[in-house]
Amino acid sequence: MNNLYLKNIVTLKLDKEACVKCGMCINVCPHEVFELKNSKLEMINRDRCMECGACQINCPVGAISVKAGVGCAYAMIKGALTGTEPSCGCGDGDSGCC
Amino acid sequence: MITNKLTNLKPKCSCSGPSSTLLNTSMSINIQQTTAELGIVDHFTHLRLRLGISRYSKVDPGIYKVGNPDQDSLVFISANYVMSFNKLRNALKGMNAWIMVLDTKGINVWCAAGKGTFGTNELIKRITDVKLSEIVKHKIIIVPQLGAPGVSAHEVGKATNFKVIYGPVRAEDLKTFVNNGFKATKEMRQVNFNLTDRIVLIPVEIKMILKYAIAASLLFYFINHFGSNSNFINDVLIMLLLAIVSGTILSPILLPFVPFRAFSLKGFLISLIAILAYIAYAGLTSPYLVAGSILLFPALSAFISLNFTGASTYTSVSGVRKEMRRYIPFIIGFLTVGFILITISLVRGI
């Protein structure tokens, strides 16, 4: 099942010139956003990006940028009410409660 | 506490040979034995966590043996959330391996990686603290893929000479991954959110809403009690229950089958259908009660469903922010007007 969230909203950017095609982003992406096509890295499922930031932090040449954060309404409401950075206080389950 | 229980479980002792040299080098390092088998206590702990009875259950950070590992055995990294650790050791059944547990404050791998506690610094610190280079001869550590949002593989490599290999998303794929020479299939790299994944989250969703539901029920009860004391209160409480069931149970189950991408709209639609069905079934005719219910209860479910974004595995922060900006004003408006209408209905019995 391909779960899709809102279209055309994620902050993910790829600098194809800087990319060294190491494939690390392909390894760490949980939603198959990247693919090497004809030895070029492409974002084939950009709308599936959940902005977890794994590709950015693991890109050895800084070719990927994304404003990473937790896609959690509860965390954002809590953050807005307390005037702090949105951060979920959850440790339950392993299905990505953040 | 947990580790005491774990270490009390019988270590699989076929202890001969390979670990003797190891023990000499690791005299000063506290190595604990664990097992791949999960006991009744472990399953009970998992159940408590799933039901939301307890939230955190920690394992001591450090290095653990599964079976009888030696200097060539693989090293797997985990979080000190008991369910993360247990799933990993259970997946290593029949293997001799090392597990290095990071201090993630009792939070699971993915969430901790998002916060950065399952992160580059903690990984480097732990490698140094347990003297990993004395425990194994090789320079490979297998980090769960979901730890990647917090771990920079190249930074860890620079600092420690250990090469980070990202294992599959799910621990149960680990053996296949290792047997295939550290190659993960596309499926192994993908996070799902299938029916089972969604259903196990329901108890915690219910638990989170419970006290608000009780407060709302009492509020309506007293408004009615000091108002008209009419039978409408029964309908209101049943519809409140329907709204909560829609938001906490039906929304997660039906998530991929309901139109719209925004979670709040999914919750709104499911609840609206339930409320309209109830209005028809109960033959409600009070215009205040009907109009108020159509506004209040679906909006309430929309809000509960909106919060399910945090439990889902695919919503981005930018997306959730957009959804909130777009729909929260409507939710607040609907809740306010709906509440006023229902209050009028209960107070005046019309």
Side-chain angles (χ1 to χ4, degrees):
Chain A
M1 179 70 59
N2 269 8
N3 291 303
L4 278 168
Y5 198 44
L6 309 187
K7 276 184 232 171
N8 270 329
I9 182 74
V10 293
T11 52
L12 181 69
K13 285 197 188 86
L14 165 68
D15 180 350
K16 288 188 194 176
E17 300 300 311
C19 172
V20 290
K21 299 162 192 77
C22 68
M24 207 57 179
C25 52
I26 300 173
N27 279 344
V28 297
C29 179
H31 290 298
E32 218 188 331
V33 169
F34 302 96
E35 194 178 272
L36 270 174
K37 272 186 176 169
N38 308 321
S39 73
K40 260 209 164 136
L41 188 69
E42 303 282 351
M43 290 192 279
I44 55 165
N45 292 314
R46 188 164 174 272
D47 278 343
R48 293 193 63 203
C49 171
M50 59 176 293
E51 302 183 320
C52 71
C55 53
Q56 173 179 251
I57 190 175
N58 279 286
C59 177
V61 292
I64 299 171
S65 77
V66 58
K67 252 189 105 193
V70 277
C72 170
Y74 178 74
M76 279 182 227
I77 294 168
K78 209 173 66 179
L81 292 179
T82 58
T84 53
E85 270 291 293
S87 161
C88 72
C90 45
D92 34 29
D94 58 342
S95 300
C97 67
C98 298
Chain B
M1 235 166 67
I2 298 297
T3 37
N4 289 339
K5 281 179 208 149
L6 294 179
T7 42
N8 286 341
L9 297 174
K10 52 191 180 301
K12 283 198 295 179
C13 214
S14 51
C15 321
S16 58
S19 66
S20 55
T21 47
L22 196 68
L23 287 174
N24 292 333
T25 56
S26 56
M27 285 294 274
S28 57
I29 306 159
N30 181 21
I31 298 178
Q32 303 184 67
Q33 181 77 43
T34 183
T35 60
E37 287 78 21
L38 301 183
I40 287 174
V41 177
D42 299 313
H43 291 296
F44 187 64
T45 308
H46 295 183
L47 189 66
R48 282 168 56 92
L49 291 165
R50 285 298 189 198
L51 293 179
I53 298 167
S54 58
R55 277 179 71 98
Y56 303 102
S57 209
K58 294 181 187 177
V59 182
D60 283 341
I63 189 109
Y64 292 80
K65 288 178 173 187
V66 179
N68 191 19
D70 60 23
Q71 288 178 304
D72 297 314
S73 302
L74 295 171
V75 180
F76 296 89
I77 313 298
S78 186
N80 78 330
Y81 178 57
V82 74
M83 216 166 351
S84 307
F85 178 70
N86 285 352
K87 279 197 173 173
L88 172 61
R89 65 191 177 94
N90 195 230
L92 301 178
K93 207 173 270 178
M95 283 175 77
N96 296 311
W98 302 98
I99 295 179
M100 192 171 82
V101 175
L102 305 188
D103 185 3
T104 60
K105 318 287 174 211
I107 305 280
N108 71 70
V109 173
W110 208 11
C111 290
K115 291 173 196 286
T117 44
F118 189 106
T120 310
N121 292 342
E122 165 64 13
L123 183 52
I124 293 171
K125 179 184 172 290
R126 200 59 57 184
I127 289 172
T128 320
D129 284 2
V130 306
K131 302 193 175 82
L132 193 60
S133 52
E134 291 178 28
I135 295 175
V136 290
K137 283 190 297 196
H138 61 78
K139 288 285 171 201
I140 289 171
I141 49 174
I142 298 165
V143 176
Q145 186 192 328
L146 293 186
V151 174
S152 170
H154 53 275
E155 296 290 337
V156 173
K158 260 185 241 165
T160 65
N161 282 329
F162 275 93
K163 181 181 162 59
V164 170
I165 290 182
Y166 286 112
V169 165
R170 284 163 292 275
E172 59 259 33
D173 291 328
L174 259 176
K175 255 188 199 160
T176 320
F177 174 78
V178 169
N179 292 339
N180 291 349
F182 303 139
K183 289 271 183 299
T185 62
K186 276 186 178 179
E187 286 69 38
M188 287 184 199
R189 291 262 174 248
Q190 287 229 44
V191 166
N192 302 324
F193 203 39
N194 58 36
L195 189 60
T196 324
D197 297 334
R198 300 195 302 274
I199 285 176
V200 297
L201 299 170
I202 290 174
V204 173
E205 290 297 307
I206 295 173
K207 198 208 158 201
M208 276 171 65
I209 210 74
L210 206 58
K211 60 180 176 207
Y212 302 107
I214 292 168
S217 306
L218 287 174
L219 181 64
F220 282 129
Y221 178 81
F222 283 115
I223 289 173
N224 185 62
H225 185 74
F226 296 110
S228 66
N229 218 352
S230 71
N231 287 332
F232 288 160
I233 185 66
N234 297 331
D235 299 313
V236 170
L237 293 183
I238 290 171
M239 284 190 282
L240 178 65
L241 182 67
L242 280 176
I244 289 165
V245 168
S246 300
T248 58
I249 302 175
L250 298 180
S251 263
I253 291 176
L254 299 175
L255 195 73
F257 310 112
V258 184
F260 306 121
R261 294 189 177 196
F263 280 41
S264 42
L265 290 186
K266 289 172 188 278
F268 189 90
L269 181 64
I270 294 169
S271 187
L272 182 64
I273 292 169
I275 296 300
L276 287 177
Y278 181 79
I279 289 171
Y281 166 80
L284 301 185
T285 49
S286 154
Y288 286 104
L289 185 60
V290 169
S293 302
I294 288 174
L295 289 174
L296 179 80
F297 296 116
L300 182 64
S301 309
F303 187 72
I304 298 172
S305 302
L306 174 66
N307 278 312
F308 195 61
T309 50
S312 86
T313 58
Y314 65 94
T315 54
S316 61
V317 58
S318 303
V320 173
R321 190 174 293 126
K322 184 178 175 187
E323 173 168 353
M324 286 172 66
R325 285 215 181 112
R326 197 182 272 179
Y327 299 116
I328 281 203
F330 287 101
I331 291 175
I332 292 174
F334 282 25
L335 287 176
T336 312
V337 177
F339 180 75
I340 292 169
L341 291 176
I342 290 176
T343 302
I344 292 172
S345 174
L346 290 177
V347 168
R348 298 172 56 189
I350 54 170

